[in-house]
Amino acid sequence: MSRAAAAPGDSPFQAERNPRDEAPQFVLPLVVRIEKSAPPARTDALETAARAVLLMLSDDRALGDGEWAEAVRNWEDARIRKVVRRARGAEWRRAETLPGITVTGKSAEVRVFPPVPLDGWPKDLAKLQVSGTELDDPEPPAGADRARPVLWLNPELQMSAGKTMAQAGHGAQLAWWALSPGDRDTWREEGFPLSVRTAAPADWPRLTDGTLPLVRDAGFTEIAPGSCTVVADHPALRR
């Protein structure tokens, strides 16, 4: 697959077994801060997680001979797995001491870490919980600005906030791979603006039948293998 021009049929997030399954498996850890007294809004957490993935992919430490580059390459050669865990209080403070990038949204904080072996999580991350990431929006999010990238969620699927954060990250990653170098630079320089919204049921067939990158989940958790979860609708990819 050409990472600069990922077509929907070439998605590395498909359920069928392929050569990526033969490579050692890595995972990209993301940790969302969920304090009991002030949990983040769901949509803001989804968007912050997607930006965190983009910041990891574009960070100098993840490129070329950077200190995270080998881990990123190993991860990209296998299934593109992402796992979201939650932390609060001392757990979050310990997570912040590990190498990574903290991304702050309007109400959400998400820290993304370099990829790790599937069975080789750092101790302070391994003991964090995957469950308990249920989040709500205090009020419905505003309509998406289609002049900017939109990650459209499948309206027929019910997923936890943590699972949806991972799927939004997948969508952002496919959009990044599909863009030209110039469009990548522009998106990065603008600070990776994007929105995550649930598609209208009537729009979903049109979004998935076109040329936009789409994520097909491998079905490890929550949903059936091969489920279409996200369409990455970047303006530069509509041409």
Side-chain angles (χ1 to χ4, degrees):
M1 182 186 73
S2 171
R3 291 173 183 162
D10 294 331
S11 169
F13 306 104
Q14 297 179 34
E16 295 82 4
R17 190 165 185 82
N18 61 53
R20 290 174 178 272
D21 294 297
E22 307 308 320
Q25 298 295 302
F26 282 70
V27 62
L28 186 78
L30 296 108
V31 174
V32 56
R33 183 178 186 181
I34 303 181
E35 300 289 349
K36 286 184 178 180
S37 60
R42 180 184 175 97
T43 296
D44 189 43
L46 303 182
E47 294 172 350
T48 304
R51 285 196 298 273
V53 171
L54 292 166
L55 284 165
M56 171 58 69
L57 292 172
S58 62
D59 193 282
D60 287 343
R61 290 167 289 185
L63 303 172
D65 295 326
E67 60 185 290
W68 300 341
E70 183 177 1
V72 170
R73 286 192 295 269
N74 288 338
W75 170 59
E76 291 180 336
D77 285 342
R79 290 276 187 179
I80 312 300
R81 298 189 183 190
K82 300 177 181 71
V83 172
V84 177
R85 297 177 183 258
R86 62 178 173 87
R88 62 174 178 259
E91 295 172 331
W92 175 258
R93 291 190 292 274
R94 284 193 294 270
E96 283 195 302
T97 67
L98 300 176
I101 304 168
T102 296
V103 184
T104 303
K106 295 176 182 177
S107 62
E109 288 183 81
V110 176
R111 188 163 178 84
V112 60
F113 303 86
V116 297
L118 193 60
D119 57 356
W121 284 66
K123 177 180 63 176
D124 284 332
L125 297 184
K127 61 187 178 183
L128 298 177
Q129 295 296 310
V130 175
S131 61
T133 57
E134 289 307 323
L135 300 170
D136 296 309
D137 282 314
E139 54 189 54
D145 179 1
R146 294 194 72 248
R148 294 186 167 189
V150 185
L151 303 175
W152 295 108
L153 303 175
N154 186 336
E156 299 177 356
L157 295 178
Q158 296 294 322
M159 298 182 288
S160 68
K163 176 74 172 181
T164 312
M165 289 169 68
Q167 298 301 306
H170 292 338
Q173 185 166 2
L174 283 188
W176 176 254
W177 283 353
L179 291 171
S180 69
D183 287 327
R184 287 184 184 181
D185 289 343
T186 298
W187 200 12
R188 180 174 55 239
E189 290 163 5
E190 291 175 347
F192 293 120
L194 58 85
S195 57
V196 179
R197 296 291 186 273
T198 300
D203 291 339
W204 187 247
R206 172 183 57 81
L207 289 167
T208 55
D209 285 347
T211 59
L212 294 171
L214 57 89
V215 178
R216 290 189 183 275
D217 191 64
F220 293 121
T221 61
E222 295 194 25
I223 58 177
S227 298
C228 242
T229 58
V230 180
V231 174
D233 184 11
H234 191 292
L237 300 178
R238 299 177 197 144
R239 296 197 286 260

